[in-house]
Structures are given as structure tokens and as C-alpha cells.
Amino acid sequence: MKKYLVFSTLAILFFLFGCEEEHALRLHTAPEYYQGRAMLPNGQQIELPEVDRSHVLESCAPDHAVTDLPEGDRRWLGTVTLTQPLTATTSTPAFPTATFFNVNEQSFVQCHVESITYVKQIDAAPGSILNFANTADDFPAVAKLRVAQSFERAQFLKELKKPIGNEPYPIRTGMEQTLVHVTMPFEGSLIFTFKADDEEENVTYPINATSRDPYLSLGLGTEESDAGMQYAIYTSSNQEKYADALQPKDAFITRLLGAKILNDLPSTLEPGKQYPLFSVSYMRDGKPHQQYVSITYKANKLLHGDELKKKMHQQFANRRHAVFHELALIGTKSTDTSFLKHVPAKDHDFLFEAIERSNSTSQFGSPAPMPYLTLFEGVSAQTFDVSYYKDDVFLTNSKTNSHFKLLQEDAEQWHKLFD
């Protein structure tokens, strides 16, 4: 009786809803087409196995992003950058860049691509990162500031006198009284505002998730070369070299008159609040000028919900790619062109739409000259076996072995474009 009821129920459901028609396009998360590298707190870089690449992709799915994080230090476990060698170009931002960290024994991941940043709570970081958890570093949630000590100021002067760049080496001079240290927060950026008279210019120092440094030393200095004299804020993450310079677009001066730290520097930089930092006096074109420099810590805006989904769609809507190939793609680089044929960008939409319009069938043909086709869209991919019977084009889902036949007009266009 029980078996009869089950059969009857299934029969009724089939009658009411019919059998769901299978669709050709069933893209899936594809860690096998990615390369992944993790930067660890001890400075070591490791390659991630496929199981961990899959973990990263699943962790960065834009669902259930949090709006706030608990108070407390962020314990950085490692930062992963995933790339798709077959689809990446110099203008394609890597996605995801995923930073794994703990707050109060809770695990989180911060995912980032261009201007999009979001955070999710997760069960745990990938296994190959957890193997190095004993090297994890703690970072404050906000930026902290302190004036340098005398021995650090002496080191600053010494480092700026060292030759740097190409010969003839520019002559660099540090203003030791302006040296300060920032204890770097876990994320965000530092904004330096240069203001003189009615002109104001912002220069951004991003906090780099892939080479996270706990400290930043910065101080004013000048650089004299054949092009003239310029002033700048020189920065260093380890109090050596001070090779990086932050300066406004017009930093040329005739003569430096003086520079100083402004009074009452805060010990903590409240996010979004601008704090006066330096003042610089100099001569330019025979006239004296006064430049004021302020610092602002800007925290990343954590996207979530519909806003996040909308921006992710905008970011990945046109990120499609397709490759015909004779052999399997696992581990293949885009330079291995002997058995690859990359579909031109102008034909991507037709290819995806023609496959989407195809009909399920039990038939298939003989293998095409390029017998495999792999589609990429965002972080997903799908591979088909391609076969022909006369002018008909058949695609077989490589995972399910289901067959699909293109519409006649799509098959005609297919042969024009791809044979």
C-alpha cells in the first residue's frame, strides 16, 4: 500500500508539473581553471591546491555578507589571490582577492575586486592557510599614530642620503622633525590632503591586502635633480630606503623655508575624520607659499544585500570568454596556443545565446576538428564535447553526458564563425 501511494504521488506530480527540460547552459564554479597563491603572515607564499581554491570561491559567493564586524583586533591568517590564466588580461582585475582573518575566535573572509569589498563569516579558512596559523599577525581595527623617537629620526636622515633610482642619483634630504609612524589598520586607505590657498588635492595610500605591513613610517623631505627640486612625503614599511613618495601634482619648489608637525596629533585616527599633520613653507617663482598636509583614515565600505549583488553583476556581466581546444585545459596557460583557439570577444554573445537556445536530444555526431569547447563567465565555467552530423551542430555536456542540438540558423552561423 505504501509503495502504491508513493507511486501515485509521483505520477500526480509528473502530471501536474511535467518533466523539467534540461538546459544546455549549466555553468558551475570551476576551481580547476584557477591558479591560487596565498601570502602568509611570515612572508611566505604558497600555491593552493584545488580543494582550497574551491573553498575560496565558495567563501566569496556574494550571499550573506555582513554589515558590521565585532570589535577587537583582526588576526590575519593570509591573503589569497585567484587568477584564471586562460581568460586573464592585463586589464582584468583578479577575483577574488580573499583575506582570511579571525576576530574574537570567529572566522571571516574579506573579498575584494576593484571598488567592491564585502565580508562574510565562515566556518574556517582553507586548510593550507590554517597550517600556518601559528604565524598569524594581529592588526587593530583603526589606525594609530605616534611621533618618531630620536633614534628613528636619525635613521630617517641616514636612509634618505642613500642613493636611489638611476644615475645621476637625486639628492634627497629628510626633515627629521616631521617623521611619524602609523600602526596600520586591517583594511581601508590613508588619504593625504595637500592644501594651499584655495587649492586642495588628495593623494591616496591604499592598504595592500596582498602584502600587508603592520607599520608605515612617513616624513617630509626634498629631492633635487636636473629637473629641479621637489618636496614629498617619503614612506617606508620597515624604516629602510623610503623609496616611495607621496606628493601633489605640482611639487616643484625653488627653495625650502621650513616644515613642522602640527600640534596635538591624535593617537588614534577616527575613520572619516581629517587631522592636520604637517605644514610646509617654500619659495616658488619668487613668492612664498604655505602648504598644509592632513591625514584621514578611510575604512572600506562593506557592501551587502541588493547593492552588493547589483555591483557584482555590473562587474561580471561582460566577463565572458570561450575557448575551443583539442586537449584538456587543466593547468593550461593562455600562451599554449598550439591546441587552443580563443573565440573573439565580438562572438561571445552569439555563442552563449546559441547554446542557450539549443534543444535537448538523444543524438550526437562525429567529433569536430576542435572537439571541445569551454565557456567562462565570471567565476564559473562549463565544458562541452562538440560534434557534427552534416550541417547539424551537437554539444554534449562533459559532466552529465547530455546532448543538445543547435537551431538550424544558429548552426549555419556557427559554421561561418568557427570552422
Side-chain angles (χ1 to χ4, degrees), residues 361-369 371 385-396 403-405:
T361 181
S362 59
Q363 298 175 290
F364 60 93
S366 301
D385 299 343
V386 183
S387 61
Y388 297 157
Y389 177 73
K390 297 183 178 179
D391 291 332
D392 292 333
V393 177
F394 297 93
L395 301 173
T396 301
H403 307 298
F404 302 89
K405 181 182 178 182

Side-chain angles (χ1 to χ4, degrees), residues 142-157:
V142 295
K144 298 180 180 180
L145 187 68
R146 72 171 176 85
V147 177
Q149 299 180 35
S150 57
F151 74 93
E152 295 169 324
R153 294 199 295 268
Q155 177 71 14
F156 176 54
L157 293 180

